[in-house]
Amino acid sequence: MNAATKNTNHANPHRWLEPSTLARLSNLELVAKAVVDGFFTGMHRSPYFGFSQEFAEYKAYNDGDDPRFIDWNVYARTDRTYIKRFLGETNTALNLLIDVSGSMNYQSGDVSKLQYAKFIGATLAYLARKQHDAIGATLFDNGIREVMPAASHPDTLYRLLALLERTNAGDGTEIHDSLQHIAGTVTRRGIMVVLSDFYCDAEELGKNLLPLVTRGHEVVLFHLLDAGELAPADTLKSMRTPSTLRDMEDAAEVRVTAEYMRDEYPHRIASHIDSLKQAANRYGFTHVLSNTARPLDDLLQQYLTVRQLQR
Amino acid sequence: MSLAAPLFLIALLALTIPWWLHLISTDDPPAQDFSSDMLLEQQQTVSSKQSQLRYWLLLLLRTLAIALLALLFAEPVIEKLKMLTEQSTRHLVVVDTSMSQGHQQRWNRTQSQARDIISALPSGDQVLLVNASDTIQATSESDLLASTAITQLESVTPGNQQLSFAHLATAIDGLVRESPLPVEVHLVSDMQQSAMPDRFADLAISGVEELHLYSTAAADDLNVSVTAVVNESADNQTSLSALVQNHSATAVAIDVRVSGNNGVLDTRNIQLAADSRTVVPFDNLDTRSAGGRLAVELSPMDDLPADDRFIVAIPDGERLEIPVISGIRESIAHTYVTAAVESDPRYSARLISGDNINAAELGSMTIVPDASTLTDRGGSDLKDYIEKGGAALVISGSEPHSSSMRNLLNLSANTASPDVSHRVVATDTSQPVIQGVSADWRALSLQHLLPTNSDADDRVILATDYNTPLLIERNVGRGQLLVFTSALDPLWNNLALEPLFLPFIIRSVEYLRGESTASRKLNIGDAMNIPAGAQLLNSEGESLRSLAELNQRSSFTFRAAGVYTVRSPAGDTYVSVNTDPLESTLTALGPDQLERWKNLGSNRAASGTNSVVQNTDSTTRQSLWLWILSVLLVVTLLESLYSHRHLWVKRGA
């Protein structure tokens, strides 16, 4: 590493957490470690650890516990050291619901949406594992493709990462049916993280997620979109009038004009995103929008901030 | 419509390019993957149709642009067919462009009159514009539309030449004979009296339907002119006389100024009554640095400035060397001739050895005082020089001549005639060498001369009572030879002692050099023979003869006023060229003369030279270049705007 690179690193610490850089890492475990460790050590000092920040109980201090959580007020009163334990540290289950349909394979940049979803999933799983939380995953496209029930076993993380590694995009999407099925089968309360591009009706999505919210699950929607979906006229190759666009799931072709993609489509996608946000507000889940060029730590920071505001 | 350069239509092959591109481009572009069509709206069939329609229109514009470009280079012309009926007439509008028409008021009237004539012509008639001065020339090869004729009229300007009505009549006669249609001639001129021929009948133009004469002269046109003559010029002192004429009906006061290269030498103020003339003498002008020329000018100049300046050529103080070839320096003939040459302040004699004759050293002419002193080789060299364009005065010798000299002089005997007194009885008084002194030749005492054979082409200038030629002019090859068949020997004749000897020698020099007293002053339009080996320079010092012309004798016609220099190895001769004084006299023909002229000449019926024409087609050609270029520019602009509007794809930031 030369001086310029060093300086670049110091000047732009996010560089190592950009999806294009992470994509070069050999496996998701490294990605997860890079994001989480990078997020918490020297880049984003956050006093908050774990997913759940609500105080749960006191525990006697033992060797190996983090001395930062020693409650000194209690020590002053009792001359005994106790540490605070938070809700996140107590048997929270992280369930990743990952859309692996054909549309998730779209990419205009360095990583596809599915790959980006894998990064997020691996990162959250890694973080949860550090908190000794249970981890599970469900992959769906036009139906439930694969389910890994939430478990706290030490191997669960690696099994999940391996599952993600070998997963490729499928065909169509039946997100509503999949969410209905999941809502009916997941019993353990926890955090439901849905990673998808959410090309579906926002109201119906909200209705399908409502049962999970009602049962006490914390539902977080990571709305993943490629830069080419947010501003397609900038990224579509040789955009001519007219052009033919082919749906990656059902191969339906639509003939569009450059003017439409430039002027009209961005309004449509913005309107759809807005409808999802409104549904999130209405039905009590968290909506986090991200494009696949966004650095992971940035996304993580936003997520944690949003969660903190909601509490 | 026809095409002047149809070969350029090969560029129409380029039309295949936009068609080929169109065929390629109409293929549907390959479909691109997009994540989901949920938010896409089909622009489909309507858009496709619109796109295609737009593309076809664009193809059409581009095809049209290429076709127009090819047509532009092919130079299309449209030939307007004019159906001529038996009433159609061809009008020759002849505009006098001689020097006198340079008078500002006259030229304005001329243009206005010509314009009115052309504008009033019937639409079915043809018009041809003709410029008339020393040359009679139509402004175009074919007949013109009235508008075109008027446009061309605006670009016509008068020159410095003189117009002769007789010459004009002859030239117009030729144009009339060529015409299949009845011809009317419209002559717009200041009708100068001085342009009239000696014989009135010479003005007749046969076959003319009608002759219209328009006089642009006015009695109050003011003109004062000047001419000059050098009275004496020697040793850088010149005396000249300026003749100033007032051609107008108004008295004038005017300055007459003589200038050289370095400025004004003298000025006189004179008063001239109406229609009068006066001679203004200028004596003892110091022409040391005049550069061989003086300009006599009037100040202020009038409305006809061309004749307000007269240029005279004067010797520059250096005598012109005349080569004199002699085999024996001390011969008495050589002495006589040398003395005669140098008696004229213009000349000096330069001895050339008869054993070493170099044509380059001889210049335009030479004198051989005693032909018998030249050897065979000398005679051959001399003959060679003359044949190549040189000129020589060869005086026979009293001794036997070499064979080459005998051949050159065409002597029938190498011995003198018996000692019998001869008299000159026949003289060719038209020959400049003896002009005005023929009586003196008859008084010459001749004892001997050499018999010569005269050819049919020889010009015998002087002959004796024995029918023996004494002075012969002969063309040898491209050159000229004057042969005097008696020796400059007191035993042969007393020529050298007679007063006519000097003018004989000097005039021979002038004649053989192409000079005469009159020829050193010429008018614009006059021609002059330039001998071989001599270069002609204009007032600015520019050469007027090509290298090829230098080797031969040729004629040069002067078209502009100034002092010209004839430069030869023997030295420089100056020739002054001025406007013809006849053009300065503005007196116009009277009404009765004009009327007589109009009625002069036969009409069409009498001459029968032109047949009645019925329904003849005539065509005039008009180029469409500008129209096509305009359309091409419009099409190109439309194509640019159209393609920009519909095919441009914005890229966001």
Side-chain angles (χ1 to χ4, degrees), chain B residues 3 115 124 210 242 292 309 393 405 439 493 531 572 599 603 650:
Chain B
L3 301 172
R115 216 177 288 127
E210 193 168 347
R309 189 170 191 261
L393 167 64
M405 285 310 299
N493 59 65
D572 290 350
N599 297 328
N603 56 31
K650 277 185 185 172

Side-chain angles (χ1 to χ4, degrees), chain B residues 419-435:
Chain B
D419 188 359
V420 174
S421 178
H422 298 262
R423 292 276 173 205
V424 175
V425 298
T427 58
D428 182 352
T429 55
S430 66
Q431 227 285 356
V433 173
I434 65 167
Q435 230 174 26

Side-chain angles (χ1 to χ4, degrees), chain B residues 362-409:
Chain B
L362 298 182
S364 60
M365 67 84 56
T366 187
I367 303 176
V368 181
D370 187 338
S372 64
T373 63
L374 292 187
T375 62
D376 226 10
R377 180 186 165 184
S380 297
D381 290 344
L382 180 65
K383 185 181 177 188
D384 208 37
Y385 158 73
I386 299 172
E387 282 178 339
K388 289 180 178 175
L393 167 64
V394 177
I395 303 174
S396 305
S398 55
E399 299 297 326
H401 294 70
S402 65
S403 62
S404 60
M405 285 310 299
R406 286 203 304 274
N407 285 335
L408 179 62
L409 303 182

Side-chain angles (χ1 to χ4, degrees), chain A residues 229 233 244 246-247 255 268, chain B residues 32 35 41-43 48:
Chain A
E229 294 169 297
T244 301
R246 182 171 51 225
D247 188 298
R255 217 168 165 86
R268 284 177 165 253
Chain B
Q32 298 183 68
S35 55
E41 197 170 275
Q42 187 78 271
Q43 303 293 301
S48 299

Side-chain angles (χ1 to χ4, degrees), chain B residues 489-618:
Chain B
D489 186 326
L491 297 176
W492 285 52
N493 59 65
N494 64 343
L495 175 62
L497 304 176
E498 288 293 316
L500 66 87
F501 178 63
L502 293 184
F504 166 61
I505 296 299
I506 297 301
R507 286 186 181 195
S508 297
V509 170
E510 289 174 346
Y511 178 70
L512 293 175
R513 280 178 51 81
E515 297 175 22
S516 67
T517 306
S519 69
R520 297 182 71 237
K521 282 195 320 179
L522 298 175
N523 295 329
I524 291 174
D526 288 347
M528 178 177 169
N529 286 326
I530 311 298
Q535 178 57 276
L536 180 65
L537 310 173
N538 63 11
S539 303
E540 286 75 38
E542 295 168 340
S543 303
L544 299 176
R545 301 183 84 199
S546 64
L547 285 175
E549 289 172 322
L550 282 177
N551 292 328
Q552 54 195 7
R553 194 181 187 86
S554 63
S555 175
F556 182 86
T557 302
F558 294 94
R559 294 280 177 210
V563 173
Y564 294 77
T565 306
V566 180
R567 178 159 293 167
S568 66
D572 290 350
T573 302
Y574 296 115
V575 179
S576 65
V577 178
N578 292 282
T579 57
D580 195 322
L582 291 175
E583 283 291 318
S584 299
T585 308
L586 300 186
T587 308
L589 296 174
D592 54 337
Q593 288 176 296
L594 292 176
E595 193 62 33
R596 189 180 160 201
W597 188 1
K598 281 172 61 176
N599 297 328
L600 191 64
S602 52
N603 56 31
R604 291 182 63 246
S607 68
T609 53
N610 298 319
S611 57
V612 174
V613 178
Q614 293 191 4
N615 295 336
T616 302
D617 292 346
S618 178

